[in-house]
Amino acid sequence: MRELKSLELRGPRAREAAKRVLSVLVAVATSSVLNLDDLSWAAFSGYMVMRGSVAETFERGLMRIVGTAGGALLGLLLAPGTANDPLLLMVFLFIVSWIGIFQSLTTNYGYAWLFFGLTAGMVTTEALASPDAVVHFAATRVAEIAVGTCISLFVASLYSDRAGRGEQHAHDVLWYARLHDILNENWLREHWLLLEHCTRAALAVALLPLIWRWFGIEDFSQTAITSYVIMIVPSTAVGNRRYATIYERIAHRALGCLLGSAVALVSIGLFGTGLPVTVLTLAVGVWVGYQIQTGREINYLGTQFTLGLLVTLVQGPAPITDITPGLERFVGIAIGSAMLCMTTCVWPLVQDK
């Protein structure tokens, strides 16, 4: 309620929110014209890539596209082998998740590495669900990300640019891919908590195929995404043992998705699925979500509120006929979060000091 009371109707914060609204709407419209399968990924990119200046937006967008393309290519190369071998799939998920999380927390190109690991895991799990459609899935995902990113850059260029203040990276440059650093005892001692953190997260992702088979789950992506993304926390938080950040992200991801999907479902129930109503709901929801994201207390909840709204309302060029995508996202988040909790029960986190 405090965040909602702090919403601004004018000023820099309101203008930045309006830029995200425009980017999302244009990305969805462009993806519809191109007849892409899942418009929500284009909408995600149009929302998440945007930054305060064209230079910052371009850098972030380039990393998102390169990371996605690289992960898709690796996933396509290994998908034929992992599709019929659950053990090999688990090993691959562990490796790409570990690399993606570690590099996300330790390099200046962390955003690219995040999407490298994320997309590689998504492509291989898609091969498990639909082996014949994996190439189409990978190509479409890259196209959706590219469309949303380009639209975000286009919208950013429409506004007067300002000198980028230098985005504060939520990580330190700790590793430069030098083998002797890894074998150095002092380096290992200094970064042991970070290595443990990445291993725990990768293990949570790698064990998901067992859960999928046990419960007969067919929508794999959201469970893997949750277990992977939640562990992307500032490396300083890991080093200082501030693991409450992880639990907070779990709660904010679940609640944000639930609230965003609920708003979308209420809008559908009250006003139907007509184009004007859908566009208005998207605009208001993105505008509010971004302001909460840039607030003081529940930033990540604001991000997940917007994404939950988008995945429910933005499904394809035709009117909405199925409300399950938002529900599937929430269930996937719940399962992925549960897997993380199970992993931490077996391998407990060091308590805050």
Side-chain angles (χ1 to χ4, degrees):
M1 292 303 298
R2 285 195 297 269
E3 291 291 350
L4 290 177
K5 290 179 181 179
S6 70
L7 295 180
E8 298 178 1
L9 297 178
R10 60 186 63 186
R13 190 179 175 197
R15 286 195 298 271
E16 288 297 317
K19 288 166 62 176
R20 270 70 180 181
V21 171
L22 180 59
S23 181
V24 167
L25 294 180
V26 176
V28 171
T30 304
S31 302
S32 299
V33 172
L34 296 176
N35 199 30
L36 298 178
D37 291 345
D38 190 350
L39 308 187
S40 61
W41 279 109
F44 288 179
S45 297
Y47 178 79
M48 296 298 295
V49 171
M50 178 78 68
R51 284 298 180 264
S53 69
V54 175
E56 289 176 297
T57 302
F58 178 79
E59 178 184 5
R60 187 173 174 86
L62 181 62
M63 286 194 288
R64 189 176 182 112
I65 292 174
V66 170
T68 299
L73 179 60
L74 179 62
L76 285 176
L77 291 175
L78 298 180
T82 59
N84 299 315
D85 190 334
L87 180 60
L88 186 60
L89 173 63
M90 293 171 66
V91 171
F92 174 72
L93 287 176
F94 178 87
I95 293 174
V96 297
S97 298
W98 197 96
I99 292 174
I101 294 172
F102 185 78
Q103 291 289 75
S104 296
L105 298 176
T106 59
T107 74
N108 284 327
Y109 305 104
Y111 198 60
W113 283 106
L114 185 153
F115 279 91
F116 173 83
L118 181 66
T119 306
M122 289 181 65
V123 171
T124 53
T125 54
E126 181 65 21
L128 183 65
S130 305
D132 297 333
V134 65
V135 174
H136 176 75
F137 173 83
T140 302
R141 173 162 169 79
V142 173
E144 291 159 353
I145 296 295
V147 167
T149 300
C150 291
I151 294 301
S152 182
L153 182 60
F154 169 74
V155 172
S157 68
L158 296 178
Y159 291 80
S160 57
D161 202 355
R162 60 177 176 81
R165 292 177 296 178
E167 182 180 348
Q168 295 294 322
H169 293 289
H171 54 259
D172 303 313
V173 181
L174 302 177
W175 185 54
Y176 298 94
R178 296 180 297 187
L179 183 60
H180 70 272
D181 277 345
I182 300 177
L183 300 178
N184 184 282
E185 183 178 351
N186 292 330
W187 187 93
L188 287 173
R189 187 183 301 111
E190 182 180 353
H191 303 116
W192 183 255
L193 286 176
L194 183 60
L195 296 173
E196 184 181 276
H197 173 81
C198 297
T199 303
R200 183 185 289 108
L203 186 63
V205 176
L207 293 176
L208 284 172
L210 299 179
I211 302 298
W212 297 336
R213 175 166 293 189
W214 189 7
F215 290 101
I217 297 173
E218 297 181 357
D219 182 21
F220 308 122
S221 61
Q222 286 302 326
T223 56
I225 290 173
T226 293
S227 298
Y228 178 82
V229 172
I230 282 177
M231 301 299 272
I232 307 295
V233 297
S235 58
T236 52
V238 178
N240 295 330
R241 298 188 175 98
R242 297 199 301 269
Y243 288 112
T245 304
I246 298 173
Y247 301 127
E248 183 181 86
R249 284 173 66 84
I250 290 175
H252 284 188
R253 187 175 181 88
L255 290 174
C257 173
L258 183 61
L259 289 172
S261 298
V263 168
L265 294 177
V266 168
S267 173
I268 293 171
L270 293 178
F271 307 110
T273 59
L275 182 60
V277 172
T278 301
V279 170
L280 181 61
T281 304
L282 275 177
V284 174
V286 171
W287 188 82
V288 171
Y290 177 77
Q291 293 214 40
I292 294 176
Q293 178 184 319
T294 55
R296 298 179 178 179
E297 301 180 62
I298 51 175
N299 311 80
Y300 193 56
L301 189 147
T303 303
Q304 293 305 315
F305 169 85
T306 306
L307 299 188
L309 179 79
L310 292 177
V311 80
T312 306
L313 284 182
V314 182
Q315 299 177 21
I320 301 169
T321 58
D322 188 3
I323 64 173
T324 57
L327 299 178
E328 288 175 350
R329 177 178 171 83
F330 178 73
V331 171
I333 287 173
I335 294 173
S337 300
M339 175 54 73
L340 274 176
C341 293
M342 290 173 59
T343 305
T344 54
C345 286
V346 176
W347 185 357
L349 297 172
V350 179
Q351 295 299 315
D352 297 0
K353 292 185 177 181

